[in-house]
Amino acid sequence: MLSDHFQNGVETAKLMWSRIPATEEEEVGEVGPSRKGNGSTVESLDYEVVENFAYREEQAKRGKLYMGYVVLVKWFLALLIGIGTGLAAVFINLSVENFAGWKFSLTFQIIQKSYFAGFLVYILINLVLVLSSVYIITCFAPAASGSGIPEIKGYLNGIDTHGILLFRTLIGKIFGSIGSVGGGLALGKEGPLVHIGACIASLLGQGGSTKYHLRSRWLQVFSSERDRRDLVTCGCAAGVAAAFRAPVGGVLFALEEVTSWWRSQLMWRVFFTSAIVAVVVRTAMGWCKDGNCGHFGAGGFIIWDISGGQEDYSFEELLPMAFIGVIGGLLGALFNQLTLYMTHWRRNYLHKKGIRVKIIEACLISVITSAISFGLPLFRRCTPCPEAEANSGIECPQAPGMFGNYVNFYCQNNKEYNDLATIFFNTQDDAIRNLFSAKTAHEFSAQGLLTFLVMFYTLAVVTFGTAVPAGQFVPGIMIGSTYGRLVGMFVVSFYKKLNIEEGTYALLGAASFLGGSMRMTVSLCVIMVEITNNLKLLPLIMLVLLISKAVGDAFNEGLYEEQARLRAIPLLESRPKYQMRYMTAKEACGSQNVVYFPRVVKVSDIVSILRSNDHNGFPVVDHSRSGETLVIGLILRSHLLVLLQSKVDFQHSPLPCDSRGDLLPIRHNLSEFVKPVSSKGISLRDIHFTPDDLEMYIDLAPFLNPSPYVVPEDMSLTKVYNLFRQLGLRHLLVVPRPARVIGMITRKDLILEDNDDPTAVELQSTSVRGTQSNHRVIKRKGDAQQPLLDGLL
């Protein structure tokens, strides 16, 4: 009977393995708009407002009541993002802690009889968890692989990587993180939580998922990519707040690390979202204190309270603390370079061999990690327990997996503990808590810490880049706290002062490695203070962060910037390159031929041009009465596809129709031109044309953007770069220098004055024809008084 069950299981496993595509070409997936050489699919986002006639008509219908409703929905969505991200974090933490608790409890029960049997069970449990994670990622949600922070940073910079914000990506990220972290791999769940928050925000911003029939009409308010970008920013902050229980750190992380544009209105909503996350997490922890969460205990949500640690520090301690900053910068830069090499090798060689290779690789790393974490403590000699101090709250020894210091593992005496098992044979959160702990001097030996540092550093480098959700916050803290505690041991033995705590140096080491690898300063400083609950160490954390970042910057860029470049995500950094100041806009354009449309264009010509290139924007020109060719606007590819699909704007005459908004019939609403987030959108291959359709004409004037941004050909590329990035443009037209000036805008012209008539505002404009200022009254329709553009690339 047992053999029959075993045989059936083997046959089922063979069947599942045969259904996995052997090569990337066999993989069934969605095809994005443009594919780079390395296989990643990216596309620029349209953050510029297209002020065509459909937009103006839509704005004319919107009054103050509707605008108030939009503001209310934004705040309500911020509330939902906070609740959703908080609940996702609670679910992930509860699942990981329970899996880890069951794993350690079962293993500990088995090793009482046989260490070899316990070793096999420990490896098998981790292997099953990691296998489930890599199977979900490779076969269900490929975009959920990795941390997701480089892709989200690219999205907020103006680059959309296909599939990163889909519903399937959200599900794959949640369950994949549970498997990879619960399986004991050298990675964390904090980076994936940032991606999870962004996915929740994006799905709420578009009203749900169309593919899975999870839609809500009253949430489908935002038709602008800028509004979705703001919601994704709230989601990123919520992810960090949920991961570290650091709401202020989450706000600063979104400001410093991922966003390219910021404003005060967004700050309030991001702060509100992070506060909601903190409330949700605190409520969940209070509920779990009553024993309702299984094995979930003090190790769940990250907070390593060291408020009872070192109270003060002396001047002579600053030198070893600065040395920790230097070590963090060097090891962080080395980590970035090694992971860059490993990821490049995987993407270009290993992972091109197919999905099965990705699964085998992750499983092999899982077996190696489990063998090291279980096997290395077996070779360590146990240490006698120290004398228990009064009111210390620390017991010696502890059983493996019981969330405490002084773990008894493979020891002959019941009053002994294994220092390597205290770190290795534990969850990462509890291992860090042990390294940060105060009043545990001489708990770890220098040999044990050095062994753990070398092995875990190597495992973190090798594991990063596998086809599982992977964060680097907690592994970075593990690495940094290990060498920080090593330095603290030498400081204690050298200065021989009773008030020096090794755990304080472990905290500084963790901050230094994260600063040397991720190159964050302000947000990381606040996060470290929030998760340790010790404000007295703030000056020291600032010191090591500044030193480690300066040392790391001397060698390479930050981890996320390096990974974004490897994934072919063209980020626009805050500063242009130095050589751009010697180049002009015309030189940047090169000798490329601009593809443009006349105002009235034949349908067959549109189809031919769209098939011949992949451009997403086309200038539209018209001839003046004097015969001069003028640029009258910019038409987007997606808008042309909408017109071709509907066919309601086709006309027989090649002459333009009346372009005045009050007489021109508008047959489209603004929502038809909105780019879908969770689908491929309209494709030219899906549109069928009859021979009569191809002979028709379209007047593009009602649908183009009549006011695209234009720069003269001799403008320096530095100014062009700043304009492009700060306004969040996708297209920027380069034209010959204009011959005449009709006016000049100064600061006072951009300040709208109050007027008794609520439907009109007065704008002072300086004319070049005289010294007196003219007054123009601009009729404001609905939401015509928009804030200055703060879009992306």
Side-chain angles (χ1 to χ4, degrees), residues 81 85 88 170 192-202 231-232 234-236 238-239:
I81 292 169
T85 307
L170 171 63
L193 271 174
V194 175
H195 194 178
I196 289 171
C199 289
I200 292 175
S202 177
L231 291 175
V232 170
C234 293
C236 291

Side-chain angles (χ1 to χ4, degrees), residues 2-270:
L2 183 61
S3 61
D4 292 339
H5 285 295
F6 179 76
Q7 186 176 2
N8 291 335
V10 172
E11 293 297 330
T12 303
K14 288 182 178 180
L15 179 62
M16 293 181 62
W17 182 257
S18 65
R19 291 179 177 178
I20 299 175
T23 61
E24 295 291 345
E25 287 75 13
E26 299 177 27
E27 181 180 359
V28 179
E30 296 176 341
V31 180
S34 64
R35 188 168 292 276
K36 298 295 181 183
N38 65 345
S40 64
T41 307
V42 297
E43 183 185 8
S44 295
L45 294 167
D46 291 314
Y47 287 127
E48 183 182 0
V49 176
V50 179
E51 297 176 334
N52 53 24
F53 284 103
Y55 172 81
R56 294 176 182 177
E57 187 178 72
E58 187 83 13
Q59 294 297 310
K61 297 178 182 178
R62 297 178 177 178
K64 289 186 175 180
L65 183 61
Y66 181 82
M67 298 309 300
Y69 169 72
V70 171
V71 173
L72 182 63
V73 170
K74 287 182 178 180
W75 283 96
F76 182 67
L77 287 180
L79 173 67
L80 293 182
I81 292 169
I83 295 176
T85 307
L87 292 178
V90 169
F91 175 71
I92 292 174
N93 277 279
L94 292 183
S95 301
V96 169
E97 287 294 314
N98 276 287
F99 278 127
W102 293 329
K103 175 178 64 179
F104 286 124
S105 297
L106 180 60
T107 304
F108 180 65
Q109 292 176 8
I110 296 176
I111 63 177
Q112 302 300 319
K113 301 177 180 179
S114 171
Y115 272 87
F116 181 74
F119 173 69
L120 294 180
V121 170
Y122 182 74
I123 287 183
L124 182 61
I125 294 176
N126 285 336
L127 182 61
V128 170
L129 290 173
V130 173
L131 178 61
S132 65
S133 176
V134 69
Y135 186 84
I136 290 173
I137 298 304
T138 54
C139 300
F140 179 72
S145 176
S147 71
I149 293 181
E151 289 82 0
I152 298 301
K153 186 173 182 178
Y155 180 87
L156 296 178
N157 193 261
I159 295 297
D160 183 16
T161 304
H162 180 68
I164 62 169
L165 298 176
L166 300 182
F167 180 73
R168 65 161 55 188
T169 303
L170 171 63
I171 300 301
K173 206 77 175 184
I174 292 175
F175 289 96
S177 298
I178 293 173
S180 61
V181 178
L185 294 180
L187 43 82
K189 55 184 178 293
E190 292 67 38
L193 271 174
V194 175
H195 194 178
I196 289 171
C199 289
I200 292 175
S202 177
L203 291 170
L204 288 173
Q206 63 176 326
S209 174
T210 304
K211 182 176 181 180
Y212 298 97
H213 306 289
L214 301 173
R215 299 282 287 178
S216 177
R217 285 191 174 183
W218 63 274
L219 286 178
Q220 299 174 24
V221 178
F222 305 110
S223 58
S224 170
E225 291 285 359
R226 296 182 304 156
D227 294 325
R228 293 174 182 169
R229 176 200 65 199
D230 292 346
L231 291 175
V232 170
T233 303
C234 293
C236 291
V240 175
F244 294 102
R245 289 176 56 196
V248 180
V251 176
L252 294 177
F253 175 83
L255 171 62
E256 178 184 6
E257 186 62 22
V258 294
T259 59
S260 299
W261 295 271
W262 197 264
R263 64 182 190 276
S264 58
Q265 297 95 328
L266 180 60
M267 170 76 82
W268 279 106
R269 290 203 299 273
V270 171

Side-chain angles (χ1 to χ4, degrees), residues 662-719:
D662 54 345
L663 299 178
L664 185 68
I666 302 298
R667 304 181 181 92
H668 303 272
N669 55 49
L670 193 60
S671 61
E672 296 181 44
F673 297 102
V674 176
K675 174 191 171 185
V677 177
S678 58
S679 65
K680 295 177 288 185
I682 303 174
S683 173
L684 190 61
R685 296 188 299 269
D686 301 330
I687 304 175
H688 175 70
F689 299 99
T690 65
D692 293 336
D693 292 337
L694 297 176
E695 296 299 322
M696 302 287 277
Y697 295 86
I698 300 180
D699 186 359
L700 300 179
F703 312 104
L704 55 80
N705 182 6
S707 55
Y709 287 92
V710 179
V711 297
E713 60 181 348
D714 57 349
M715 177 181 284
S716 70
L717 194 56
T718 298
K719 295 179 68 175

Side-chain angles (χ1 to χ4, degrees), residues 47-48 226 229 261 709 721-730 732 788-793:
Y47 287 127
E48 183 182 0
R226 296 182 304 156
R229 176 200 65 199
W261 295 271
Y709 287 92
Y721 183 96
N722 292 328
L723 178 69
F724 197 97
R725 187 184 187 278
Q726 292 173 11
L727 293 180
L729 305 180
R730 183 174 186 177
L732 187 61
L788 294 179
L789 287 179
D790 57 352
L792 293 178
L793 174 65

Side-chain angles (χ1 to χ4, degrees), residues 270-319:
V270 171
F271 184 77
F272 173 73
T273 305
S274 299
I276 295 299
V277 172
V279 173
V280 172
V281 172
R282 172 60 68 178
T283 303
M285 292 190 65
W287 183 68
C288 288
K289 285 184 178 179
D290 298 330
N292 300 317
C293 301
H295 285 271
F296 178 81
F301 291 97
I302 296 176
I303 185 163
W304 302 295
D305 193 342
I306 59 171
S307 56
Q310 187 168 335
E311 295 291 338
D312 199 3
Y313 51 90
S314 57
F315 180 78
E316 56 265 22
E317 290 183 68
L318 294 181
L319 181 60

Side-chain angles (χ1 to χ4, degrees), residues 746-755 760-764 776-780 784-788:
T746 60
R747 179 181 292 269
K748 64 183 180 63
D749 301 318
L750 300 176
I751 301 176
L752 299 179
E753 299 179 357
D754 294 332
N755 196 293
V761 292
E762 188 176 1
L763 180 64
Q764 297 180 355
R776 301 174 183 173
V777 177
I778 300 178
K779 296 297 183 180
R780 182 176 62 187
Q785 186 182 355
Q786 294 284 349
L788 294 179

Side-chain angles (χ1 to χ4, degrees), residues 11-12 224 236 329 333 358 388 408 417 528 542 555 566 572 579 587 615 641-642 659 698 710 783:
E11 293 297 330
T12 303
S224 170
C236 291
K358 296 180 182 180
N408 182 280
Y417 71 97
M528 296 303 293
M542 295 172 63
F555 295 95
L566 184 64
L572 289 181
Q579 57 269 29
E587 294 174 350
H615 300 328
L641 293 175
V642 171
S659 60
I698 300 180
V710 179
D783 192 32

